[in-house]
């Protein structure tokens, strides 16, 4: 396609206002602030002139290789009128001001383009250059470009660093002080890793800003004890916040003894965090002042937004859009608040009256209503917290942002989540898998079976065992309720991870010991030896000796201590004896107990930390042995997951993602309905991923069937077009292994009688093997799932399928095909020759790559896949395309679109 200087193309002029809306994005900068990115349009001319006027002479010289004090009218028109294909320009906006511009122009109608960008002096060093490069590369790739070139003054070290550090293979040449740089823009493992690392650092920084403010304004601070503004201000004061508090109330000079301001604009110093505690209909008016003030983060505890109906949702989206446009992140609305127990911060910007004890657990909760109960329960159970965020409607800041923060937060060793939905399931799985390798994640996932309307057509009920496997794949310890969450958290918070699953049981009651042993076996744990019963009359010393012997035994990896206090000796003496013997041995084996009928960490079993609260080494106690063992079992399974090989995200060879994406765009052509692909379309699409469907022809006569068989080569199978006939257990719709013309003719006529249709498939016979099924489907919690099982009615009825969430590692693919109960049929069960499992694994990875690259693939079925010693052969494939319901975790960095509703 040729392009003229006026923005015309070989097909005529393009509308300079008509750009792909998906190119717009809110992005987080390296300092945690936000800018809005979008393509430039002619009406941006005045903004561009103002932006150019703010640039220093040095910045203009480095960008334009000369003084260039003002933009001539001809250049201004050229800069702002682009075709959004061969000539593309992005602007970064903060409020109404342009703060950065990046552009590319195709060279000589070929696959290369020259790229350049310039950043406002006041915003240099915030990562805008790398963000512009990511988004320009993605747009260029979409428009068929393969390579970027750049001319950079050798003295422009900052710009050279942007290109050098982006992860691309950059070639360099220098002539007369000008560097000529060239690089392919296709994503590489290195460029993706760089982008992900920058994303983590930026999003973590934005949460750090939220949790470490040096000043807090309470907008709506009140003297009325019944008002939310009174509670927030009181709790900030009671926690002895280390920074400065500014009540905002237009009617009073002071609130709770602190000087008040009529507006946030009257506050003399910068405001890091503004807590908004006014009625919903007043939030928009106070937002204007916060935008002008330049507040970093808004915490909106006010209710009456998305949870109140469509009008509230509209107001919420508009509010978040305005906040992001002015560089702010938003927590809420309808949030309980945030807190940080760090002694250097002491932030309690919540509606909960007490700051919890200092601990090393970070807690994210979507439900504001449950937040207070969670904090109270944590205090009662002796679980200390490092930070807590209750995000309410989660219009902006979400659980994924907190995972990014906690990954590198040195004060947090354990992550607790109460989730109602995942805003971006694929991103959650990626972040959780990475974070879970170093810090346990324990999650209550409510609403597990609630399916959003846009998912209903392509969602399949996934059995509980598979749900558990999916959580474990991501490294998440799944629990059913808050009680289980706290039970499990207490073990993680206070005890070491075990080396294995061998459990010793010591107590003074054989009945309770046996109950613990039964529970351990039911949980899949190995009981190291018969439960040790020291007897009801044993004293503290005998009890401690039995614990010592079990702990030092090489046959145990963990210990359960069950205790019923005798009448003669106080139970506290036994507790102290237990604590002392454990503390003295330092065996690095986790211990749980049922002691004194206490829940949490009794004082006698606590190892007091520097701040006076229970610290690491404290022994958690549970009301029953079942709960103690169940919590320990979750910790043991997590430790086993961490010890397993992590695997690598493998990109299969021979994949042509761009060709596949072009096919998908062509087939959907802007439509918003699901479509079932025709046979030739399916073959084209899966072929881009190296998945070959066994050769077939569609025929409508017996002579055509014979001609097709001779073209393809005997033996062949003749199959009915109707899937219901082909899938019947009695094979009524299939004639197999036809080796000559008359057999093909008879097979065609037989099926024509059965199906009452002329159209049939004639297909080359695949090598004999085990019939398998590989599929893709949408799930409301996990995004796109890859499933595997053996074909057939029995497997379907029994639900004998395994699932993994995209993206898959090589280890995920290997375990997926071995997980169904019927999988031994693939490995030579009863003397059969084993199937080529490597070929099956490769096909699973190709299906996963197809799903990751093309989120528009709403459903896919390869069934049957004949798994034989010669390989894996696809006999039939079906694909449904449609608008993707789950946000993909691909492409350049961006925040969740504000028009996305979970």
């Amino acid at each position: 396609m040729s392009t003229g200087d006026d923005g015309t193309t070989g097909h005529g002029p393009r509308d300079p206002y008509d750009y792909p809306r998906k190119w717009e994005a809110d992005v987080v900068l390296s300092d945690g602030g936000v800018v809005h990115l979008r393509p430039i349009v002619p009406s941006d001319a005045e903004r561009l002139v103002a932006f150019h006027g703010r640039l220093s002479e040095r910045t203009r010289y480095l960008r334009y290789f000369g003084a260039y004090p003002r933009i001539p009218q001809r250049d201004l028109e050229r800069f702002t009128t682009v075709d959004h294909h061969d000539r593309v320009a992005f602007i970064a906006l903060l409020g109404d001001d342009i703060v950065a511009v990046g552009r590319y122009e195709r060279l000589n109608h070929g696959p290369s383009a020259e790229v350049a960008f310039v950043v406002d002096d006041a915003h240099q060093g915030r990562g805008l250059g790398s963000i512009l490069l990511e988004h320009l590369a993605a747009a260029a790739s979409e428009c068929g470009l393969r390579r970027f070139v750049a001319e950079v003054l050798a003295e422009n070290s900052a710009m050279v660093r942007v290109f050098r550090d982006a992860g691309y293979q950059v070639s360099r040449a220098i002539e007369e002080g000008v560097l000529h740089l060239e690089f392919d823009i296709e994503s590489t493992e290195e460029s993706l890793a760089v982008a992900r690392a920058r994303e983590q650092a930026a999003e973590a920084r934005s949460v750090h800003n939220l949790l470490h403010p040096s000043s807090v304004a309470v907008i709506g601070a009140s003297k009325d004890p019944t008002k939310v503004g009174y509670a927030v201000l009181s709790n900030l004061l009671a926690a002895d916040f280390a920074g400065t508090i500014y009540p905002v109330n237009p009617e009073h000079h002071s609130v709770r003894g602190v000087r008040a301001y009529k507006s946030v604009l009257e506050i003399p110093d910068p405001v890091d965090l503004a807590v908004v505690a006014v009625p919903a209909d007043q939030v928009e008016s106070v937002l204007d002042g916060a935008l002008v003030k330049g507040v970093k983060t808004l915490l909106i505890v006010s209710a009456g937004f998305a949870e109140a109906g469509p009008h509230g949702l509209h107001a919420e989206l508009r509010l978040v859009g305005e906040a992001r446009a002015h560089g702010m992140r938003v927590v809420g609305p309808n949030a309980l608040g945030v807190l940080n127990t760090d002694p250097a911060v002491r932030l309690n910007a919540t509606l909960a009256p007490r700051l919890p004890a200092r601990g090393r657990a970070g807690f994210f909760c979507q439900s504001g209503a449950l937040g207070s109960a969670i904090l109270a329960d944590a205090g009662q159970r002796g679980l200390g917290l490092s930070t807590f965020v209750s995000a309410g409607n989660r219009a902006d800041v979400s659980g994924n942002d907190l995972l990014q923060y906690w990954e590198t937060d040195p004060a947090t060793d354990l992550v607790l989540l109460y989730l109602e939905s995942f805003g971006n399931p694929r991103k959650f799985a990626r972040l959780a898998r990475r974070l879970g390798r170093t810090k346990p994640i324990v999650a209550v996932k409510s609403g597990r079976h609630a399916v959003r309307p846009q998912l209903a057509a392509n969602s399949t009920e996934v059995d509980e065992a598979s749900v558990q496997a999916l959580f474990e794949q991501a490294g998440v310890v799944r629990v059913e309720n808050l009680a289980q969450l706290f039970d499990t958290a207490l073990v993680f918070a206070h005890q070491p991870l075990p080396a294995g699953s061998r459990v010793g049981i010591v107590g003074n009651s054989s009945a309770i010991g046996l109950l613990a042993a039964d529970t351990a076996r039911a949980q899949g744990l190995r009981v190291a030896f018969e439960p040790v019963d020291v007897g009801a009359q044993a004293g503290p010393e005998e009890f401690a000796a039995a614990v010592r012997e079990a702990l030092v035994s090489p046959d145990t990896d963990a210990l359960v201590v069950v205790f019923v206090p005798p009448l003669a000796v106080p139970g506290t003496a036994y507790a102290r004896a237990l604590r002392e013997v454990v503390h003295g041995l330092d065996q690095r084996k986790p211990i749980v107990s049922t002691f004194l009928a206490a829940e949490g960490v009794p004082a006698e079993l606590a190892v007091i930390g520097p701040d006076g609260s229970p610290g690491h080494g404290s022994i958690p106690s549970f009301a029953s042995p079942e709960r103690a063992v169940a919590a320990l079992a979750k910790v043991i399974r997590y430790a086993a997951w961490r010890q397993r090989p992590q695997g690598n995200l493998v990109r299969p060879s021979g994949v042509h993602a761009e060709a596949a994406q072009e096919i998908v765009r062509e087939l959907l052509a802007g439509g918003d309905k699901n479509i079932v692909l025709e046979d030739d379309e399916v073959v084209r699409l899966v072929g881009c991923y190296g998945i070959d469907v066994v050769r077939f022809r569609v025929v409508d006569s017996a002579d055509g069937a014979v001609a097709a068989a001779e073209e393809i080569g005997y033996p062949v199978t003749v199959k009915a077009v109707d899937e219901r006939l082909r899938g019947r257990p009695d094979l009524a719709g299939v004639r197999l292994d036809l080796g000559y013309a008359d057999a093909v003719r008879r097979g065609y006529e037989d099926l024509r009688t059965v199906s009452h249709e002329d159209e049939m498939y004639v297909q080359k016979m695949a090598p004999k093997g085990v019939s398998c099924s590989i599929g893709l489907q949408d799930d409301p919690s996990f995004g796109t799932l890859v499933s595997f099982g053996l074909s057939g009615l029995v497997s379907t009825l029994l639900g004998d399928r395994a699932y993994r969430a995209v993206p898959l590692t090589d280890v995920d693919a290997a375990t997926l095909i071995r997980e169904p109960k019927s999988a031994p049929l693939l490995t030579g069960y009863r003397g059969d020759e084993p199937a080529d499992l490597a070929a099956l694994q490769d096909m699973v990875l190709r299906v996963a790559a197809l799903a990751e690259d093309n989120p528009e693939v709403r459903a896919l079925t390869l069934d049957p896949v004949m798994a034989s010693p010669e390989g894996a052969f696809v006999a039939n494939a079906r694909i449904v395309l449609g608008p993707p319901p789950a946000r993909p975790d691909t492409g350049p960095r961006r925040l969740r679109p504000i028009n996305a509703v979970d």
Side-chain angles (χ1 to χ4, degrees):
M1 180 181 292
S2 62
T3 306
D5 287 349
D6 58 356
T8 63
T9 70
H11 300 292
R14 289 177 178 264
D15 182 351
Y17 288 93
D18 184 19
Y19 59 81
R21 299 303 168 203
K22 66 181 181 180
W23 285 1
E24 288 201 46
D26 295 318
V27 292
V28 183
L29 305 182
S30 59
D31 61 0
V34 181
V35 295
H36 183 69
L37 216 65
R38 67 163 170 80
I40 202 166
V41 294
S43 58
D44 292 317
E46 189 175 329
R47 289 189 183 93
L48 189 62
V49 170
F51 164 74
H52 186 80
R54 292 194 302 273
L55 298 178
S56 67
E57 290 183 8
R58 175 70 175 169
T59 296
R60 289 187 202 135
Y61 166 73
L62 292 175
R63 167 62 181 90
Y64 299 105
F65 297 18
Y68 205 66
R70 63 186 60 84
I71 305 177
Q73 185 61 32
R74 175 185 170 88
D75 285 357
L76 184 62
E77 291 176 3
R78 176 175 172 77
F79 290 162
T80 56
T81 304
V82 298
D83 64 10
H84 307 296
H85 190 273
D86 291 352
R87 297 180 60 241
V88 169
F90 284 106
I91 56 175
L93 291 162
L94 186 58
D96 292 327
D97 295 331
I98 295 175
V99 296
V101 180
R103 62 178 66 248
Y104 75 72
E105 298 201 18
R106 189 187 291 264
L107 298 172
N108 302 319
H109 322 304
S112 296
E114 184 172 2
V115 64
F117 31 87
V118 60
V119 179
D120 189 327
D121 292 71
H123 296 275
Q124 291 175 11
R126 303 183 71 197
L128 279 161
S130 61
I131 285 172
L132 284 168
L133 180 58
E134 282 182 38
H135 285 259
L136 285 169
S141 181
E142 190 175 319
C143 294
L145 288 161
R146 300 288 177 270
R147 196 167 180 79
F148 272 170
V149 301
E151 304 288 337
V152 183
L153 288 174
E155 60 192 285
N156 192 352
S157 57
M159 192 60 64
V160 173
R161 193 163 52 248
V162 167
F163 291 114
R164 185 193 66 203
D165 295 345
Y168 298 108
Q169 295 297 316
V170 181
S171 66
R172 303 168 49 149
I174 187 167
E175 183 177 348
E176 297 181 354
V178 176
L179 276 172
H180 178 80
L181 309 175
E182 291 193 24
F183 54 94
D184 291 337
I185 58 175
E186 183 178 3
S187 293
T188 64
E189 284 189 21
E190 186 179 353
S191 68
L192 184 60
V194 168
R196 293 278 166 82
R198 288 172 171 166
E199 172 199 61
Q200 188 277 328
E203 293 180 2
R205 184 67 198 182
S206 72
V207 176
H208 182 276
N209 294 343
L210 162 70
L211 293 171
H212 296 78
S214 58
S215 57
V216 177
V218 181
I219 304 175
S222 175
K223 291 186 173 183
D224 184 347
T226 65
K227 297 290 182 64
V228 170
Y230 177 93
V232 173
L233 179 60
S234 298
N235 295 340
L236 278 166
L237 294 170
D240 190 23
F241 174 55
T244 308
I245 302 171
Y246 299 105
V248 176
N249 186 310
E251 299 176 358
H252 300 285
H253 294 295
S254 68
V255 181
R256 300 297 314 275
V258 182
R259 180 189 170 182
Y261 297 84
K262 292 184 178 181
S263 162
V264 71
L265 292 173
E266 292 188 7
I267 297 172
D269 300 312
V271 174
D272 293 334
L273 174 64
V275 183
V276 180
V278 299
D281 58 359
Q282 298 176 27
V283 169
E284 194 165 345
S285 62
V286 302
L287 173 65
D288 294 337
L291 299 179
V292 175
K293 182 65 180 174
V295 173
K296 287 184 180 178
T297 311
L298 283 179
L299 167 58
I300 304 175
V301 297
S302 311
F305 288 90
E307 80 282 1
H311 293 296
L313 173 61
H314 179 72
E316 177 176 300
L317 296 178
R318 188 172 63 247
L319 183 157
V320 174
E322 280 293 309
R324 283 189 184 174
H326 288 78
M328 285 188 281
R329 300 299 307 268
V330 177
V331 179
N334 194 30
L336 179 76
V338 303
L339 59 82
N340 184 350
T341 61
D342 185 340
V345 181
R346 303 188 302 277
L347 173 70
N348 183 8
T350 75
L351 302 181
R354 291 183 57 193
L355 193 67
R358 177 71 172 161
R360 303 193 61 81
F363 205 131
F364 175 82
C365 174
Q366 283 179 220
S367 170
L370 278 174
S372 293
I374 287 170
L375 291 174
D377 204 0
Q380 291 170 3
R381 300 281 295 271
L383 180 66
L385 300 181
S386 60
T387 45
F388 172 88
V389 175
S390 169
N393 294 359
R394 199 170 41 88
D396 180 23
V397 172
S398 71
N400 286 344
D401 293 294
L402 271 297
L403 293 184
Q404 299 276 41
Y405 170 73
W406 283 321
E407 181 179 354
T408 50
D409 176 30
T412 301
D413 296 331
L414 168 65
V415 171
L416 307 177
L417 306 173
Y418 182 89
L419 301 171
E420 295 165 13
S421 64
F422 299 112
N424 186 333
R426 292 183 180 187
K427 184 174 180 179
F428 174 83
R430 169 171 63 88
L431 300 184
R433 182 182 297 188
R434 191 176 68 205
L435 173 58
R437 286 287 161 184
T438 56
K439 300 179 182 183
I441 304 169
V442 186
V444 180
K445 173 64 178 70
S446 65
R448 163 67 214 150
H449 302 290
V451 179
R452 299 201 304 271
Q454 63 266 46
L455 282 168
N458 294 295
S459 288
T460 302
E461 190 79 3
V462 181
D463 65 272
E464 283 302 301
S466 299
V467 171
Q468 187 66 29
L470 287 163
F471 268 102
E472 289 181 358
Q473 178 199 359
V476 178
V477 179
R478 182 200 183 204
V479 294
E480 296 296 327
N481 49 53
L482 285 171
Q484 288 185 11
L485 182 137
F486 283 115
D487 285 352
T488 309
L490 283 169
V491 184
F492 276 125
H494 299 302
Q495 292 293 309
L497 293 179
S501 62
R502 301 168 303 170
V503 176
I505 300 169
V506 175
N508 65 347
S509 165
S510 59
I512 297 179
L514 288 172
L515 188 57
D518 287 345
T519 306
R521 294 187 179 99
Q523 292 282 349
L525 307 181
R526 293 168 55 196
V527 178
F529 40 73
E530 286 302 307
V532 175
D533 178 12
V534 298
Q537 304 305 314
E541 295 77 12
E542 295 170 82
F543 183 71
V547 170
R548 180 184 296 106
E549 184 178 349
L551 265 182
V552 299
S553 169
D555 298 325
T556 61
D557 300 307
L559 190 63
V560 179
V561 178
V562 292
F563 177 79
V564 177
L567 295 177
V569 183
T572 54
Y574 291 85
R576 284 193 294 270
L578 170 61
R579 182 187 64 197
E580 288 164 8
V581 71
V582 170
H583 188 64
L585 287 173
D586 191 27
Q587 283 290 308
R588 304 297 300 167
K589 296 178 182 180
I591 302 174
V592 295
S593 69
T594 56
F595 225 93
L596 309 174
E599 286 197 55
V601 181
E604 294 79 10
L605 294 178
V607 175
I608 302 302
D611 61 350
S613 59
H616 197 75
S618 300
I619 300 173
S621 178
F622 300 86
S624 70
E626 295 94 334
R627 282 176 55 183
V629 173
L632 179 61
K634 289 179 171 61
V635 173
I636 288 173
R637 281 195 289 271
Y638 167 78
W641 175 83
R642 268 191 33 177
Q643 292 165 8
R644 287 198 295 268
Q646 187 172 357
N648 298 301
L649 292 171
V650 178
R651 189 74 174 170
S653 61
V655 167
H656 304 286
E658 291 167 358
Q661 290 161 357
E662 184 61 36
I663 292 170
V664 170
R665 284 195 293 269
E666 169 195 322
L667 294 174
L668 284 177
D672 58 357
K673 298 287 181 63
N674 288 358
I675 59 170
V676 180
L677 299 194
E678 300 293 336
D679 293 327
D680 60 327
E681 297 167 342
V682 171
V683 170
R684 283 173 60 208
L685 185 53
V686 299
C688 293
Y689 287 84
I691 300 171
D692 296 322
V693 179
V694 177
R695 292 182 67 196
F696 69 93
R697 295 289 182 270
V698 180
V699 301
D700 57 10
S701 67
D703 290 340
V706 172
E710 292 176 348
E711 177 195 349
I712 292 171
Y714 293 103
V716 298
T717 177
V718 179
K719 303 189 293 186
V721 172
D722 190 332
E723 287 186 32
R724 293 169 299 179
L725 283 173
R726 291 204 310 271
R728 282 179 50 163
D730 61 2
L731 300 179
V734 182
R735 297 296 181 269
L736 298 171
D737 213 8
L738 308 178
Y740 50 92
D742 286 347
V744 171
R745 197 179 298 278
R746 282 198 304 273
Y748 175 88
E749 295 296 346
D750 286 351
L751 289 183
R752 186 170 179 274
T753 302
V754 172
S755 66
H756 308 293
E757 293 185 15
D758 292 332
E759 206 167 72
M760 304 286 169
Y761 290 113
V762 176
Q763 187 170 41
K764 178 77 174 175
M765 277 294 294
K768 289 182 171 58
V770 180
S771 181
C772 305
S773 173
I774 299 172
L776 290 175
Q777 67 188 59
D778 285 318
D779 182 81
S781 294
F782 301 98
T784 301
L785 304 183
V786 181
S787 65
F788 176 81
L790 270 58
S791 303
L793 189 60
V794 174
S795 291
T796 302
L797 284 173
L798 295 179
D800 188 22
R801 296 189 71 77
Y803 299 86
R804 294 292 184 273
V806 171
L808 266 66
T809 65
D810 50 358
V811 171
D812 292 331
T815 55
L816 175 70
I817 62 176
R818 292 166 173 83
E819 192 168 293
K821 294 181 177 63
S822 49
L825 293 173
L826 297 168
T827 56
Y829 186 70
R830 291 189 174 178
D832 291 337
E833 193 172 356
D836 184 349
L837 294 185
L840 265 182
Q841 181 177 331
D842 179 69
M843 187 169 292
V844 165
L845 288 171
R846 292 179 185 279
V847 169
L850 187 154
E852 191 167 12
D853 295 341
N854 304 278
E856 299 87 355
V857 175
R858 297 292 301 276
L860 174 148
T861 304
L862 306 181
D863 187 8
V865 177
M866 303 307 298
S868 71
E870 290 81 23
F873 303 89
V874 179
N876 185 59
R878 180 179 185 273
I879 293 178
V880 178
L881 294 184
R887 282 182 293 283
D889 187 31
T890 55
R893 288 174 278 164
R894 64 180 63 226
L895 286 173
R896 179 178 55 181
I898 59 172
N899 59 349
V901 183
D902 291 330

Short mmCIF file of all heavy atoms in Angstrom, two decimals, residues 9 18 72 83-84 112 230 259 379 434 440 450 497 620 659 732 765 862:
data_model
loop_
_atom_site.label_atom_id
_atom_site.label_comp_id
_atom_site.label_asym_id
_atom_site.label_seq_id
_atom_site.Cartn_x
_atom_site.Cartn_y
_atom_site.Cartn_z
N THR A 9 -3.89 7.00 0.80
CA THR A 9 -3.34 5.68 0.52
C THR A 9 -3.68 5.30 -0.90
O THR A 9 -4.41 6.00 -1.60
CB THR A 9 -3.97 4.62 1.46
OG1 THR A 9 -5.33 4.43 1.06
CG2 THR A 9 -3.91 5.06 2.90
N ASP A 18 -10.58 8.41 12.15
CA ASP A 18 -11.05 7.02 12.25
C ASP A 18 -9.88 6.10 12.57
O ASP A 18 -9.20 5.61 11.68
CB ASP A 18 -11.73 6.60 10.94
CG ASP A 18 -12.33 5.20 11.03
OD1 ASP A 18 -12.53 4.73 12.17
OD2 ASP A 18 -12.58 4.59 9.97
N PRO A 72 6.14 24.82 11.85
CA PRO A 72 5.48 25.46 10.71
C PRO A 72 4.12 24.82 10.43
O PRO A 72 3.88 23.65 10.75
CB PRO A 72 6.46 25.21 9.54
CG PRO A 72 7.76 24.86 10.19
CD PRO A 72 7.41 24.20 11.48
N ASP A 83 -2.77 8.55 8.70
CA ASP A 83 -3.76 7.58 8.20
C ASP A 83 -3.99 6.41 9.14
O ASP A 83 -4.78 5.52 8.84
CB ASP A 83 -3.35 7.08 6.81
CG ASP A 83 -2.04 6.31 6.82
OD1 ASP A 83 -1.52 5.99 7.91
OD2 ASP A 83 -1.51 6.02 5.73
N HIS A 84 -3.27 6.37 10.27
CA HIS A 84 -3.43 5.32 11.27
C HIS A 84 -3.15 3.93 10.69
O HIS A 84 -3.71 2.93 11.14
CB HIS A 84 -4.82 5.36 11.92
CG HIS A 84 -5.18 6.71 12.45
ND1 HIS A 84 -4.51 7.31 13.47
CD2 HIS A 84 -6.14 7.60 12.06
CE1 HIS A 84 -5.03 8.51 13.72
NE2 HIS A 84 -6.01 8.71 12.87
N SER A 112 9.26 -1.89 6.62
CA SER A 112 9.98 -1.14 7.65
C SER A 112 9.36 0.24 7.84
O SER A 112 8.73 0.79 6.93
CB SER A 112 11.45 -0.98 7.26
OG SER A 112 12.10 -2.23 7.19
N TYR A 230 -16.87 10.81 59.76
CA TYR A 230 -16.44 10.84 61.16
C TYR A 230 -15.61 9.59 61.46
O TYR A 230 -14.54 9.66 62.09
CB TYR A 230 -17.66 10.89 62.07
CG TYR A 230 -17.35 10.86 63.56
CD1 TYR A 230 -17.19 12.04 64.28
CD2 TYR A 230 -17.22 9.65 64.23
CE1 TYR A 230 -16.90 12.01 65.64
CE2 TYR A 230 -16.93 9.60 65.58
CZ TYR A 230 -16.78 10.79 66.28
OH TYR A 230 -16.50 10.76 67.63
N ARG A 259 -7.49 21.09 62.31
CA ARG A 259 -7.93 22.17 61.44
C ARG A 259 -8.52 21.62 60.16
O ARG A 259 -7.95 20.73 59.52
CB ARG A 259 -6.74 23.09 61.10
CG ARG A 259 -7.17 24.24 60.18
CD ARG A 259 -6.02 25.04 59.65
NE ARG A 259 -6.47 25.96 58.62
CZ ARG A 259 -5.69 26.78 57.94
NH1 ARG A 259 -4.39 26.77 58.17
NH2 ARG A 259 -6.19 27.58 57.02
N GLY A 379 -7.83 -10.32 64.09
CA GLY A 379 -7.34 -9.93 65.41
C GLY A 379 -7.60 -11.00 66.45
O GLY A 379 -6.73 -11.31 67.27
N ARG A 434 3.65 -16.67 39.25
CA ARG A 434 4.98 -16.10 39.51
C ARG A 434 5.15 -15.79 41.00
O ARG A 434 6.16 -16.13 41.61
CB ARG A 434 5.14 -14.84 38.67
CG ARG A 434 6.57 -14.28 38.66
CD ARG A 434 6.66 -13.10 37.72
NE ARG A 434 5.90 -11.96 38.24
CZ ARG A 434 5.39 -10.99 37.48
NH1 ARG A 434 5.54 -11.04 36.17
NH2 ARG A 434 4.74 -9.98 38.04
N PRO A 440 3.16 -17.78 49.55
CA PRO A 440 1.88 -18.50 49.42
C PRO A 440 0.72 -17.53 49.17
O PRO A 440 0.68 -16.42 49.71
CB PRO A 440 1.71 -19.21 50.77
CG PRO A 440 3.05 -19.16 51.41
CD PRO A 440 3.75 -17.95 50.89
N ALA A 450 -21.28 -18.73 39.28
CA ALA A 450 -22.01 -17.64 38.66
C ALA A 450 -21.36 -17.31 37.33
O ALA A 450 -20.20 -16.93 37.27
CB ALA A 450 -22.02 -16.41 39.56
N LEU A 497 7.51 -24.34 55.89
CA LEU A 497 6.95 -25.27 54.90
C LEU A 497 7.57 -26.65 55.10
O LEU A 497 8.76 -26.78 55.39
CB LEU A 497 7.25 -24.78 53.48
CG LEU A 497 6.57 -23.49 53.04
CD1 LEU A 497 6.99 -23.14 51.62
CD2 LEU A 497 5.05 -23.61 53.13
N PRO A 620 -0.08 -22.67 65.99
CA PRO A 620 -1.52 -22.40 65.91
C PRO A 620 -2.34 -23.55 66.49
O PRO A 620 -1.95 -24.72 66.40
CB PRO A 620 -1.77 -22.25 64.41
CG PRO A 620 -0.67 -22.99 63.75
CD PRO A 620 0.51 -22.91 64.66
N ALA A 659 -0.57 -14.53 10.59
CA ALA A 659 -1.48 -15.05 9.56
C ALA A 659 -2.80 -15.50 10.18
O ALA A 659 -3.88 -15.25 9.63
CB ALA A 659 -0.81 -16.21 8.82
N ALA A 732 -22.91 -45.38 13.79
CA ALA A 732 -23.91 -45.45 12.71
C ALA A 732 -23.61 -44.46 11.60
O ALA A 732 -24.01 -44.70 10.44
CB ALA A 732 -25.30 -45.18 13.29
N MET A 765 -7.79 -42.62 6.17
CA MET A 765 -7.76 -43.29 7.47
C MET A 765 -6.50 -42.91 8.25
O MET A 765 -5.39 -43.00 7.72
CB MET A 765 -7.78 -44.81 7.29
CG MET A 765 -9.15 -45.40 7.07
SD MET A 765 -10.24 -45.26 8.52
CE MET A 765 -9.42 -46.30 9.70
N LEU A 862 -11.06 -30.56 19.02
CA LEU A 862 -10.39 -31.52 18.15
C LEU A 862 -10.81 -32.90 18.64
O LEU A 862 -10.37 -33.36 19.68
CB LEU A 862 -8.86 -31.38 18.23
CG LEU A 862 -8.26 -29.99 17.96
CD1 LEU A 862 -6.74 -30.05 18.07
CD2 LEU A 862 -8.68 -29.46 16.60
#
